[in-house]
Amino acid sequence: LLFTEKISLNIGIRYDYFTFQYKSKLNDTLMLNNSKGIASPKCNLYYKIGQEIQLYLSAGSGFHSNDARVSVLRKDITSLPKAYSIDFGTNFKLKKKIFVNSAVWFMYLQSEYVYGGDDGLLGLSGSTRRFGIDLSARYQLLKWLFIDADLNLAHPRFVDLPKGKNYVTLAPNITSVGGIGINMKKGVSGSFRYRHLGKRPAIEDNSVIASGYFIMDAVLNYQWKKITINLSAENIFNRKWREAQFGTESKLKGEPKPITEIHFTPGIPFFLKGGIAFLF
């Protein structure tokens, strides 16, 4: 809906229908089903200050689907927990070379689910709320040279748990990606990029911390007619980092009692890969 040259409104609704089915490999007679539908309305209000700046206010609801096993085995738990969010931001464009997007946002999640390593299921962990800031920038330095960066700050907490024991496990406070890209006329393209994930609580009282990482990757491509040659390098500086991490209670031989500590999968070390693709 276009109210004036500066103010416009966009309204929409989405409907999803899921059918969950589970068949046990341990018990051939156990086969369960469950179905659920959900509607997600959304609304976007835009205000155009000029040719370069636009303000927007967005609100709506969404959902996340639960593990199929939980959906059919635990009918008391909703299969599609709802999420409600609102964000206020701005789009800024300087001529044709610089684009910046910034926003402040809030999200309420009806039910947060956390993976349990012992039984391999997702467990109900209560409602959560998050608020934060997003910043995104794109800059075309030259015709063939591009720079971009995204920064996301978040403050996630459980709603019903007491303060100090309401941290959302493994939910990061800061994430960021960015880098430099090239796209030349003679078939040469590539990028040099970073990815950063900040440290985050591994259990609800924040006494066990999952460490963060900062990794650099690079890609170089050359296309000649219908042949593309590519070379990629992951973790260029061979940083030691942890990929999947969980705060898990365990007890080794000789230890008097179980302790909760980080169990992790090591991140990939420096890795070089090349390839050739034929287009037809």
Side-chain angles (χ1 to χ4, degrees):
L1 300 175
L2 185 63
F3 297 108
T4 68
E5 293 183 356
K6 294 185 176 182
I7 301 175
S8 61
L9 179 66
N10 179 273
I11 299 175
I13 188 169
R14 166 179 163 174
Y15 183 79
D16 295 88
Y17 185 81
F18 289 81
T19 297
F20 301 93
Q21 185 178 79
Y22 170 68
K23 182 178 181 180
S24 175
K25 295 294 185 180
L26 300 177
N27 183 357
D28 292 336
T29 62
L30 180 59
M31 184 171 180
L32 301 172
N33 297 277
N34 189 22
S35 299
K36 181 76 172 181
I38 188 170
S40 303
K42 303 182 186 299
C43 177
N44 301 296
L45 179 64
Y46 300 98
Y47 177 67
K48 190 175 182 180
I49 296 179
Q51 295 298 323
E52 296 82 15
I53 302 176
Q54 182 188 61
L55 302 178
Y56 66 87
L57 179 66
S58 299
S61 68
F63 64 94
H64 73 76
S65 59
N66 196 8
D67 188 291
R69 294 165 295 177
V70 177
S71 298
V72 298
L73 294 172
R74 295 285 307 274
K75 296 296 182 66
D76 58 317
I77 298 176
T78 177
S79 302
L80 304 173
K82 289 186 177 181
Y84 303 93
S85 66
I86 184 170
D87 62 281
F88 173 74
T90 178
N91 294 316
F92 173 78
K93 189 173 183 180
L94 181 58
K95 295 183 179 179
K96 296 182 179 181
K97 296 192 180 248
I98 298 177
F99 177 81
V100 178
N101 169 262
S102 61
V104 293
W105 54 269
F106 174 85
M107 176 180 287
Y108 171 82
L109 190 60
Q110 182 183 13
S111 184
E112 189 91 22
Y113 288 95
V114 178
Y115 177 77
D118 292 335
D119 56 9
L121 296 177
L122 292 173
L124 179 64
S125 300
S127 302
T128 58
R129 57 108 180 101
R130 290 168 168 83
F131 60 86
I133 300 173
D134 292 344
L135 180 63
S136 176
R138 305 286 184 269
Y139 178 36
Q140 184 178 354
L141 188 61
L142 300 171
K143 288 184 177 180
W144 54 272
L145 183 61
F146 305 84
I147 301 175
D148 68 273
D150 297 310
L151 176 64
N152 312 101
L153 305 176
H155 185 80
R157 292 293 186 270
F158 281 105
V159 174
D160 301 322
L161 296 180
K163 187 176 181 180
K165 297 183 179 181
N166 61 340
Y167 290 84
V168 180
T169 55
L170 302 179
N173 295 315
I174 178 172
T175 58
S176 182
V177 295
I180 299 173
I182 61 172
N183 190 3
M184 306 183 74
K185 291 183 178 180
K186 295 183 178 181
V188 177
S189 62
S191 64
F192 182 69
R193 304 188 62 77
Y194 75 86
R195 45 194 168 103
H196 171 64
L197 178 67
K199 63 181 182 179
R200 52 217 185 273
I203 58 177
E204 285 80 1
D205 64 2
N206 200 33
S207 60
V208 179
I209 303 295
S211 59
Y213 59 80
F214 186 92
I215 304 295
M216 303 289 293
D217 304 318
V219 176
L220 183 63
N221 302 308
Y222 174 69
Q223 184 170 346
W224 178 72
K225 295 183 178 179
K226 294 186 177 182
I227 299 175
T228 300
I229 302 172
N230 63 78
L231 182 66
S232 63
E234 296 184 45
N235 194 3
I236 294 174
F237 300 109
N238 200 28
R239 299 285 300 272
K240 290 184 178 181
W241 62 291
R242 298 175 175 181
E243 194 165 19
Q245 300 181 70
F246 299 96
T248 305
E249 187 179 76
S250 62
K251 181 178 180 294
L252 299 177
K253 184 178 180 180
E255 292 181 340
K257 59 181 181 179
I259 60 173
T260 299
E261 58 186 348
I262 292 292
H263 291 212
F264 67 92
T265 301
I268 187 171
F270 172 74
F271 182 73
L272 190 63
K273 179 176 67 175
I276 300 177
F278 298 90
L279 307 178
F280 57 89

